[in-house]
Structures are given as structure tokens and as C-alpha cells.
Amino acid sequence: PHPIRYGSDIVVQPLPSTKHFIHAFTLINTILVVFLPILFVCLLSIGLLQTLRTCAAELCGDDGPKQMTAARLKGTTARVTVTVITIALCFTLTQGPSAVLVL
């Protein structure tokens, strides 16, 4: 029950259907606003890292480095990998707790 307006002594009881509606949409909001973006960021990060590894393998073929030296390519790949993982981890750590609090 809640007051009909701020400071009022009149208390109203919401309908059961309203309670179910609020609970259902709280869950739907949590899934759409928190869990799906976290999932998308993680999946897209994995895809980006796979593409990076594929491109790195093409740049350093079996016959040796074509455009970049192997050491430079390895360093660049490592930096990009750390950056992508850091972005996904920070996004998950900042968005995840809000879902726990809502639920």
C-alpha cells in the first residue's frame, strides 16, 4: 500500500495485476538494459579478438612477415587484446551490480 499523494493519510492498495505488471517489467528492464548489453559487449569483444588474430596470421604468413615485423605485430596484438579485455571487464563490473540491486 502507498499514499494516494505525498503527505496524504489516504492509503491505496494496488491491484494484483498491477503488482505482476511491475514485477514483470522490472525483470524485462533488467534483462534488456543490463544483461543483454553485457552479453553483446563480451561477444563482440571475442569476435574482435578473433578477427585480430586472423589478420595477424595473414600479415605474418608462413614465408615471414609481409608488412610488419613479427615482434611489432605481436606487441600491437597484445596491446589491443589487453585494451579490449579491459573495456569488456570494466563495462561488466560497472553495469552488473545495478542488475543485482534491481532484482
Side-chain angles (χ1 to χ4, degrees):
H2 59 86
I4 197 163
R5 65 178 166 260
Y6 182 74
S8 175
D9 291 334
I10 302 171
V11 177
V12 294
Q13 182 72 23
L15 296 171
S17 60
T18 304
K19 289 181 183 179
H20 294 302
F21 178 81
I22 291 171
H23 290 299
F25 274 89
T26 300
L27 181 65
I28 291 170
N29 182 42
T30 303
I31 291 170
L32 291 178
V33 173
V34 179
F35 290 125
L36 281 181
I38 288 173
L39 180 67
F40 285 145
V41 166
C42 291
L43 290 176
L44 291 174
S45 296
I46 290 169
L48 180 63
L49 292 175
Q50 288 293 85
T51 303
L52 177 66
R53 291 180 195 268
T54 302
C55 290
E58 289 176 5
L59 286 175
C60 285
D62 295 335
D63 56 346
K66 296 179 183 175
Q67 295 178 1
M68 300 177 78
T69 64
R72 185 174 173 196
L73 182 64
K74 185 176 180 181
T76 302
T77 304
R79 283 192 303 274
V80 171
T81 301
V82 168
T83 303
V84 169
I85 290 173
T86 303
I87 290 170
L89 184 64
C90 288
F91 184 79
T92 302
L93 290 176
T94 57
Q95 295 298 315
S98 65
V100 172
L101 291 176
V102 168
L103 292 176

